[in-house]
Amino acid sequence: MTDDTTGAPREPGSQWYDHEAGPLVRPYAVTGGRTAPGPSGVRFDLIALVTLDPAAPAGDDPALGPEHRALVGLCRPETQSVAELAAGADLPVGVVRVLLGDLLERGRVTVSRPVPPAQLPDERVLREVIAGLRAL
């Protein structure tokens, strides 16, 4: 068997590794074929903030894969958004959402979801409050 790019002989079992790109693992293999995060179907917005749960058990969970551990490692120094985690782990956002669902179920992370714009106070009300405070 030969390498398609160089024509050199290829070792058996080496088809899963590309020396320039690293290990070749398809995204569906990382998530076990799942596309929805967790059985509860929780959704992670791109700007949702992910933090390590301070009550999480110490030590590594043997059930966590290397991608899970990479996400935990990215959250360790500071809170990260889902988009930042995807970029930092070099994984597609859909895969990161599924992996975060796993971590959320295991109590490893907490997620702060953004406030929907419909629930934010009206700008007019905020301006009136500021004007009232200035009047004091």
Side-chain angles (χ1 to χ4, degrees), residues 31-48:
T31 63
R34 297 173 295 147
T35 58
S40 61
V42 101
R43 288 191 41 90
F44 295 95
D45 295 322
L46 288 176
I47 59 174

PDB file of all heavy atoms in Angstrom, residues 31-48:
ATOM      1  N   THR A  31     -18.456  12.799  18.646  1.00  0.00           N
ATOM      2  CA  THR A  31     -19.698  12.898  19.419  1.00  0.00           C
ATOM      3  C   THR A  31     -20.450  11.576  19.484  1.00  0.00           C
ATOM      4  O   THR A  31     -21.543  11.528  20.041  1.00  0.00           O
ATOM      5  CB  THR A  31     -20.633  13.955  18.803  1.00  0.00           C
ATOM      6  OG1 THR A  31     -20.994  13.540  17.487  1.00  0.00           O
ATOM      7  CG2 THR A  31     -19.979  15.311  18.779  1.00  0.00           C
ATOM      8  N   GLY A  32     -19.900  10.535  18.908  1.00  0.00           N
ATOM      9  CA  GLY A  32     -20.598   9.249  18.906  1.00  0.00           C
ATOM     10  C   GLY A  32     -21.829   9.277  18.018  1.00  0.00           C
ATOM     11  O   GLY A  32     -22.789   8.547  18.261  1.00  0.00           O
ATOM     12  N   GLY A  33     -21.830  10.124  17.011  1.00  0.00           N
ATOM     13  CA  GLY A  33     -22.955  10.214  16.090  1.00  0.00           C
ATOM     14  C   GLY A  33     -24.080  11.102  16.571  1.00  0.00           C
ATOM     15  O   GLY A  33     -25.072  11.296  15.877  1.00  0.00           O
ATOM     16  N   ARG A  34     -23.944  11.679  17.762  1.00  0.00           N
ATOM     17  CA  ARG A  34     -25.001  12.540  18.302  1.00  0.00           C
ATOM     18  C   ARG A  34     -24.914  13.930  17.701  1.00  0.00           C
ATOM     19  O   ARG A  34     -23.832  14.430  17.441  1.00  0.00           O
ATOM     20  CB  ARG A  34     -24.880  12.637  19.827  1.00  0.00           C
ATOM     21  CG  ARG A  34     -25.073  11.307  20.513  1.00  0.00           C
ATOM     22  CD  ARG A  34     -24.779  11.388  21.991  1.00  0.00           C
ATOM     23  NE  ARG A  34     -23.356  11.693  22.151  1.00  0.00           N
ATOM     24  CZ  ARG A  34     -22.860  12.426  23.129  1.00  0.00           C
ATOM     25  NH1 ARG A  34     -23.639  12.935  24.039  1.00  0.00           N
ATOM     26  NH2 ARG A  34     -21.568  12.662  23.209  1.00  0.00           N
ATOM     27  N   THR A  35     -26.061  14.548  17.514  1.00  0.00           N
ATOM     28  CA  THR A  35     -26.090  15.916  16.992  1.00  0.00           C
ATOM     29  C   THR A  35     -26.751  16.888  17.961  1.00  0.00           C
ATOM     30  O   THR A  35     -26.618  18.089  17.790  1.00  0.00           O
ATOM     31  CB  THR A  35     -26.842  15.982  15.651  1.00  0.00           C
ATOM     32  OG1 THR A  35     -28.162  15.482  15.838  1.00  0.00           O
ATOM     33  CG2 THR A  35     -26.120  15.170  14.591  1.00  0.00           C
ATOM     34  N   ALA A  36     -27.458  16.373  18.956  1.00  0.00           N
ATOM     35  CA  ALA A  36     -28.119  17.222  19.942  1.00  0.00           C
ATOM     36  C   ALA A  36     -27.402  17.078  21.276  1.00  0.00           C
ATOM     37  O   ALA A  36     -27.057  15.971  21.685  1.00  0.00           O
ATOM     38  CB  ALA A  36     -29.583  16.830  20.097  1.00  0.00           C
ATOM     39  N   PRO A  37     -27.171  18.185  21.982  1.00  0.00           N
ATOM     40  CA  PRO A  37     -26.474  18.113  23.262  1.00  0.00           C
ATOM     41  C   PRO A  37     -27.357  17.573  24.377  1.00  0.00           C
ATOM     42  O   PRO A  37     -28.330  18.197  24.756  1.00  0.00           O
ATOM     43  CB  PRO A  37     -26.063  19.549  23.541  1.00  0.00           C
ATOM     44  CG  PRO A  37     -26.934  20.385  22.701  1.00  0.00           C
ATOM     45  CD  PRO A  37     -27.412  19.548  21.558  1.00  0.00           C
ATOM     46  N   GLY A  38     -27.030  16.417  24.878  1.00  0.00           N
ATOM     47  CA  GLY A  38     -27.697  15.837  26.034  1.00  0.00           C
ATOM     48  C   GLY A  38     -29.106  15.368  25.765  1.00  0.00           C
ATOM     49  O   GLY A  38     -29.720  15.742  24.771  1.00  0.00           O
ATOM     50  N   PRO A  39     -29.633  14.537  26.664  1.00  0.00           N
ATOM     51  CA  PRO A  39     -31.002  14.045  26.484  1.00  0.00           C
ATOM     52  C   PRO A  39     -32.049  15.132  26.686  1.00  0.00           C
ATOM     53  O   PRO A  39     -33.149  15.031  26.184  1.00  0.00           O
ATOM     54  CB  PRO A  39     -31.130  12.956  27.544  1.00  0.00           C
ATOM     55  CG  PRO A  39     -30.109  13.268  28.564  1.00  0.00           C
ATOM     56  CD  PRO A  39     -28.995  13.992  27.851  1.00  0.00           C
ATOM     57  N   SER A  40     -31.689  16.207  27.397  1.00  0.00           N
ATOM     58  CA  SER A  40     -32.661  17.271  27.627  1.00  0.00           C
ATOM     59  C   SER A  40     -32.795  18.184  26.412  1.00  0.00           C
ATOM     60  O   SER A  40     -33.691  19.002  26.359  1.00  0.00           O
ATOM     61  CB  SER A  40     -32.253  18.089  28.855  1.00  0.00           C
ATOM     62  OG  SER A  40     -30.984  18.674  28.640  1.00  0.00           O
ATOM     63  N   GLY A  41     -31.897  18.046  25.442  1.00  0.00           N
ATOM     64  CA  GLY A  41     -31.963  18.865  24.236  1.00  0.00           C
ATOM     65  C   GLY A  41     -31.633  20.317  24.491  1.00  0.00           C
ATOM     66  O   GLY A  41     -32.110  21.201  23.806  1.00  0.00           O
ATOM     67  N   VAL A  42     -30.811  20.576  25.494  1.00  0.00           N
ATOM     68  CA  VAL A  42     -30.425  21.942  25.823  1.00  0.00           C
ATOM     69  C   VAL A  42     -29.691  22.555  24.629  1.00  0.00           C
ATOM     70  O   VAL A  42     -28.998  21.868  23.904  1.00  0.00           O
ATOM     71  CB  VAL A  42     -29.538  21.919  27.093  1.00  0.00           C
ATOM     72  CG1 VAL A  42     -28.082  22.046  26.787  1.00  0.00           C
ATOM     73  CG2 VAL A  42     -29.938  22.959  28.070  1.00  0.00           C
ATOM     74  N   ARG A  43     -29.904  23.860  24.402  1.00  0.00           N
ATOM     75  CA  ARG A  43     -29.233  24.536  23.285  1.00  0.00           C
ATOM     76  C   ARG A  43     -28.213  25.520  23.841  1.00  0.00           C
ATOM     77  O   ARG A  43     -28.477  26.188  24.830  1.00  0.00           O
ATOM     78  CB  ARG A  43     -30.247  25.270  22.426  1.00  0.00           C
ATOM     79  CG  ARG A  43     -31.099  24.333  21.614  1.00  0.00           C
ATOM     80  CD  ARG A  43     -31.924  25.046  20.559  1.00  0.00           C
ATOM     81  NE  ARG A  43     -31.247  26.104  19.865  1.00  0.00           N
ATOM     82  CZ  ARG A  43     -30.529  25.965  18.737  1.00  0.00           C
ATOM     83  NH1 ARG A  43     -30.393  24.782  18.214  1.00  0.00           N
ATOM     84  NH2 ARG A  43     -29.963  26.993  18.165  1.00  0.00           N
ATOM     85  N   PHE A  44     -27.085  25.583  23.187  1.00  0.00           N
ATOM     86  CA  PHE A  44     -26.031  26.502  23.586  1.00  0.00           C
ATOM     87  C   PHE A  44     -25.896  27.588  22.516  1.00  0.00           C
ATOM     88  O   PHE A  44     -25.515  27.308  21.395  1.00  0.00           O
ATOM     89  CB  PHE A  44     -24.691  25.764  23.718  1.00  0.00           C
ATOM     90  CG  PHE A  44     -24.676  24.742  24.815  1.00  0.00           C
ATOM     91  CD1 PHE A  44     -24.942  23.425  24.543  1.00  0.00           C
ATOM     92  CD2 PHE A  44     -24.389  25.116  26.110  1.00  0.00           C
ATOM     93  CE1 PHE A  44     -24.933  22.483  25.547  1.00  0.00           C
ATOM     94  CE2 PHE A  44     -24.379  24.181  27.126  1.00  0.00           C
ATOM     95  CZ  PHE A  44     -24.648  22.859  26.850  1.00  0.00           C
ATOM     96  N   ASP A  45     -26.225  28.835  22.890  1.00  0.00           N
ATOM     97  CA  ASP A  45     -26.019  29.955  21.984  1.00  0.00           C
ATOM     98  C   ASP A  45     -24.523  30.179  21.805  1.00  0.00           C
ATOM     99  O   ASP A  45     -23.722  29.836  22.676  1.00  0.00           O
ATOM    100  CB  ASP A  45     -26.640  31.237  22.556  1.00  0.00           C
ATOM    101  CG  ASP A  45     -28.144  31.150  22.652  1.00  0.00           C
ATOM    102  OD1 ASP A  45     -28.756  30.562  21.748  1.00  0.00           O
ATOM    103  OD2 ASP A  45     -28.704  31.677  23.633  1.00  0.00           O
ATOM    104  N   LEU A  46     -24.144  30.788  20.696  1.00  0.00           N
ATOM    105  CA  LEU A  46     -22.721  31.057  20.451  1.00  0.00           C
ATOM    106  C   LEU A  46     -22.118  31.957  21.515  1.00  0.00           C
ATOM    107  O   LEU A  46     -20.936  31.854  21.827  1.00  0.00           O
ATOM    108  CB  LEU A  46     -22.529  31.692  19.076  1.00  0.00           C
ATOM    109  CG  LEU A  46     -22.717  30.774  17.881  1.00  0.00           C
ATOM    110  CD1 LEU A  46     -22.593  31.570  16.582  1.00  0.00           C
ATOM    111  CD2 LEU A  46     -21.716  29.646  17.902  1.00  0.00           C
ATOM    112  N   ILE A  47     -22.933  32.838  22.091  1.00  0.00           N
ATOM    113  CA  ILE A  47     -22.406  33.771  23.084  1.00  0.00           C
ATOM    114  C   ILE A  47     -22.672  33.330  24.517  1.00  0.00           C
ATOM    115  O   ILE A  47     -22.364  34.063  25.455  1.00  0.00           O
ATOM    116  CB  ILE A  47     -22.947  35.194  22.840  1.00  0.00           C
ATOM    117  CG1 ILE A  47     -24.471  35.210  22.901  1.00  0.00           C
ATOM    118  CG2 ILE A  47     -22.432  35.747  21.539  1.00  0.00           C
ATOM    119  CD1 ILE A  47     -25.069  36.606  22.823  1.00  0.00           C
ATOM    120  N   ALA A  48     -23.228  32.131  24.703  1.00  0.00           N
ATOM    121  CA  ALA A  48     -23.435  31.609  26.054  1.00  0.00           C
ATOM    122  C   ALA A  48     -22.066  31.433  26.712  1.00  0.00           C
ATOM    123  O   ALA A  48     -21.109  30.984  26.084  1.00  0.00           O
ATOM    124  CB  ALA A  48     -24.179  30.280  26.008  1.00  0.00           C
TER     125      ALA A  48
END
